[in-house]
Amino acid sequence: MPEKARVRPVEEADLQEKTLSSLAPYRDQDGRIYTIWATLAHHEDALRRFLVFGNHVLGKNTLPLPSRELMILRIAARARAAYEWDQHVRIARRAGLADETILAAATGAWSGLDEPDRVLLAATDSLVDRQGVDDELWGRLEALLSVEQVIDVLYTVGQYLTIATVINTLGVQTEGDLALPLPRLSDQKEVPA
């Protein structure tokens, strides 16, 4: 990732009113628009449309919140997307996940996680690596999840791969120190097949 932003965030005063309205829920504790959204505001129409889909994935997803966050953290760690990592470490902690669990999901040390989370993380890796899952993994997903939930797995991975690509290409910078250091890929202990 670039050491500095390739595309600077748009100043709030330069945004259309309908964009400001769409971004109302996407502000930090000090009322500032999150950097990722202020950066994507260079294309306001696309941003507003993207937020609708993102709101489903982040807010109305049928997957359990802690499991969804583990999937997102795995994507962020694999993609080396520091901004995504930082934001979702904070969300995962609010969802009750311990740092040990967060790091286990990120590094591939999944033996201490429950079976549903191991299956979801294996699916995440398969979707990242192959844009699909084999029949064995499909059977494991189908045994644990409804079709609606499987679709949310696909949407979650797709959404956060897109965000990781944006972060890494545009150089979206974190809004302060990382809540938890981004583990290096060499920190991976075990990566299930």
Side-chain angles (χ1 to χ4, degrees), residues 73-192:
L73 290 162
R74 178 68 175 164
I75 292 164
R78 289 196 59 195
R80 311 303 302 147
Y83 185 92
E84 183 172 76
W85 170 260
D86 186 53
Q87 291 297 320
H88 287 277
V89 164
R90 295 169 195 275
I91 294 169
R93 285 174 172 169
R94 288 193 302 270
L97 293 171
D99 287 357
E100 177 181 280
T101 303
I102 290 168
L103 291 170
T107 63
W110 303 341
S111 60
L113 300 178
D114 65 21
E115 176 66 10
D117 285 336
R118 288 195 307 270
V119 171
L120 287 171
L121 289 167
T124 300
D125 274 358
S126 183
L127 292 165
V128 168
D129 294 338
R130 296 185 291 279
Q131 296 73 56
V133 299
D134 62 22
D135 289 340
E136 185 274 331
L137 186 49
W138 172 255
R140 292 168 68 197
L141 286 167
E142 196 174 38
L144 290 170
L145 304 173
S146 69
V147 173
E148 185 177 55
Q149 288 175 309
V150 171
I151 291 170
D152 276 338
V153 168
L154 303 176
Y155 285 161
T156 300
V157 172
Q159 160 89 1
Y160 284 96
L161 278 174
T162 298
I163 293 293
T165 301
V166 167
I167 288 164
N168 290 342
T169 304
L170 300 183
V172 178
Q173 302 297 302
T174 60
E175 288 143 345
D177 293 334
L178 292 177
L180 185 67
L182 180 61
R184 292 184 309 273
L185 293 180
S186 62
D187 292 342
Q188 293 180 353
K189 299 173 186 151
E190 57 185 87
V191 179

Side-chain angles (χ1 to χ4, degrees), residues 4-15:
K4 63 180 187 171
R6 289 178 173 158
V7 175
R8 309 259 331 135
V10 175
E11 294 294 327
E12 188 168 338
D14 296 330
L15 296 174

Side-chain angles (χ1 to χ4, degrees), residues 43-84:
H43 191 335
E44 291 184 62
D45 289 340
L47 171 60
R48 288 191 307 275
R49 291 177 184 107
F50 188 73
L51 288 172
V52 173
F53 179 68
N55 184 48
H56 169 78
V57 174
L58 192 58
K60 297 180 171 95
N61 198 315
T62 60
L63 300 171
L65 173 61
S67 298
R68 183 199 68 213
E69 287 305 313
L70 293 178
M71 293 169 60
I72 296 167
L73 290 162
R74 178 68 175 164
I75 292 164
R78 289 196 59 195
R80 311 303 302 147
Y83 185 92
E84 183 172 76

Side-chain angles (χ1 to χ4, degrees), residues 8-11 15 23 33-42 47:
R8 309 259 331 135
V10 175
E11 294 294 327
L15 296 174
L23 289 170
I33 297 169
Y34 285 108
T35 304
I36 183 70
W37 307 125
T39 302
L40 289 174
H42 283 278
L47 171 60

